[in-house]
């Protein structure tokens, strides 16, 4: 089993500290930083999740200046006070898609955060080169994604698509909609999850698409893959920060 991930990446920074009083000049918390963590985010997080689960994986992602997302978090309550993003909010477009040995992979994941690394034509080309492409996208879904095997979006993204006039008639057997603590929906079937204490939703979607693809490559059964992906995402949200799911679950 070997998986290819293509998409834009960032650096996820968490600064944990103390905030137990308000500033006298304005009604905002006074934050005292205590510790800092840094991990790969977006497509890089998908890559690291797959690797943590013991599966061989390659990553094609952004080069040069990296998008940085810095979250300031009150450590005791795990309350996120603010997220500060770097000026580098756009990625240079991918090159060399025609040189990828697609036949070497059991599946391709397009982790598209809509930062400029992948255009619609790039997604269409990748889908034409492999019969098992999973798309996780912030773009409005359109006909250039019809070649994908599955498309995963969350509830908010689903609502944005509906508002844009995309009713998914041609995507009925492809669309997987994650619904946070309610699990996900596929072909009018709901896959529920256990109720747990949520500490951090950061990167949960990346954990989901990683586990979904791994289990589908192994079993070729999308229902089994969704159940496994739900289990992994549920574990991920119970931990602080961006979690590598292989640190908390049995690997393959």
């Amino acid at each position: 089993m070997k998986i290819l991930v293509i998409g834009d990446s960032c650096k996820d920074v968490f600064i944990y500290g103390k905030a137990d009083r308000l500033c006298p000049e304005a009604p905002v918390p006074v934050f005292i930083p205590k510790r800092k963590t840094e991990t790969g985010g977006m497509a890089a997080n998908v890559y690291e999740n797959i690797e943590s689960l013991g599966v061989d994986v390659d990553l094609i992602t952004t080069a040069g200046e990296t998008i940085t997302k810095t979250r300031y978090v009150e450590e005791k309550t795990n309350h996120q006070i603010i997220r500060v993003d770097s000026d580098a909010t756009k990625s240079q477009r991918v090159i060399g898609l025609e040189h990828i040995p697609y036949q070497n992979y059991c599946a391709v994941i397009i982790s598209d955060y809509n930062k400029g690394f992948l255009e619609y034509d790039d997604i269409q080309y990748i889908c034409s080169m492999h019969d098992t492409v999973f798309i996780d996208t912030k773009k409005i879904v359109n006909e250039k994604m019809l070649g994908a095997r599955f498309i995963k979006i969350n509830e908010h993204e689903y609502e944005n698509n509906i508002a844009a006039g995309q009713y998914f008639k041609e995507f009925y057997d492809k669309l997987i909609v994650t619904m946070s603590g309610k699990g996900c929906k596929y072909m009018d079937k709901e896959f529920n999850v256990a109720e747990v204490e949520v500490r951090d939703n950061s990167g949960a979607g990346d954990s989901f698409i990683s586990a979904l693809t791994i289990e589908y490559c192994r079993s070729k059964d999308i229902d089994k893959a969704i159940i496994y992906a739900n289990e992994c995402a549920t574990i991920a949200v119970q931990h602080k920060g961006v979690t590598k799911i292989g640190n908390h679950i049995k690997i393959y």
Side-chain angles (χ1 to χ4, degrees):
M1 187 190 299
K2 189 174 187 179
I3 294 170
L4 175 63
V5 178
I6 306 176
D8 6 41
S9 292
C10 74
K11 181 163 62 176
D12 279 323
V13 179
F14 287 80
I15 299 176
Y16 294 95
K18 183 179 179 181
D20 56 7
R21 64 188 179 93
L22 293 177
C23 173
E25 295 89 11
V28 295
V30 175
F31 184 81
I32 303 172
K34 296 292 186 182
R35 66 184 182 92
K36 177 180 177 181
T37 66
E38 293 186 10
T39 60
M42 302 191 322
N45 187 40
V46 176
Y47 168 84
E48 290 178 12
N49 267 277
I50 294 170
E51 188 177 52
S52 78
L53 286 164
V55 174
D56 198 5
V57 58
D58 287 337
L59 174 65
I60 296 173
T61 190
T62 46
E65 190 173 3
T66 304
I67 297 167
T68 301
K69 301 176 182 179
T70 304
R71 300 164 176 89
Y72 291 82
V73 183
E74 204 287 319
E75 188 153 32
K76 184 185 294 184
T77 62
N78 205 48
H79 175 70
Q80 185 172 308
I81 296 172
I82 192 171
R83 192 183 96 178
V84 180
D85 289 6
S86 66
D87 289 337
T89 55
K90 288 291 182 182
S91 305
Q92 290 186 350
R93 188 175 178 182
V94 64
I95 59 172
L97 290 176
E98 68 276 13
H99 302 305
I100 297 170
Y102 295 94
Q103 70 279 3
N104 292 351
Y105 303 97
C106 65
V108 178
I109 298 174
I110 295 175
S111 180
D112 172 39
Y113 277 77
N114 199 23
K115 300 296 185 182
F117 187 65
L118 292 168
E119 300 293 341
Y120 281 109
D121 287 346
D122 301 319
I123 293 172
Q124 183 179 40
Y125 178 78
I126 295 165
C127 291
S128 74
M129 298 302 293
H130 202 287
D131 60 4
T132 308
V133 176
F134 289 74
I135 297 177
D136 185 358
T137 184
K138 304 297 182 188
K139 288 183 174 65
I140 298 300
V141 175
N142 72 10
E143 69 280 356
K144 294 195 174 182
M145 300 181 187
L146 281 169
R149 184 63 192 89
F150 298 103
I151 299 171
K152 174 255 168 193
I153 58 176
N154 61 36
E155 277 186 301
H156 176 67
E157 293 156 358
Y158 178 82
E159 290 167 1
N160 286 344
N161 272 267
I162 295 298
Q166 172 56 269
Y167 297 107
F168 300 107
K169 291 180 180 178
E170 298 175 290
F171 296 91
Y172 176 71
D173 63 342
K174 300 178 185 292
L175 188 69
I176 299 170
V177 181
T178 57
M179 303 183 296
S180 191
K182 297 177 289 183
C184 70
K185 182 183 288 188
Y186 172 66
M187 292 181 66
D188 298 325
K189 181 178 179 181
E190 290 192 8
F191 295 78
N192 298 318
V193 294
E195 186 174 336
V196 297
E197 180 185 357
V198 176
R199 293 195 173 189
D200 204 324
N201 281 314
S202 302
D206 297 333
S207 297
F208 183 95
I209 195 69
S210 302
L212 181 79
T213 306
I214 289 171
E215 179 56 36
Y216 187 79
C217 282
R218 191 175 72 88
S219 67
K220 303 302 180 186
D221 185 323
I222 191 57
D223 283 13
K224 286 183 178 179
I226 289 173
I227 291 168
Y228 180 65
N230 270 345
E231 290 173 356
C232 289
T234 299
I235 291 170
V237 300
Q238 295 178 69
H239 297 85
K240 291 182 179 181
V242 176
T243 299
K244 304 300 174 283
I245 196 62
N247 297 337
H248 307 287
I249 195 170
K250 182 180 177 182
I251 66 172
Y252 282 102

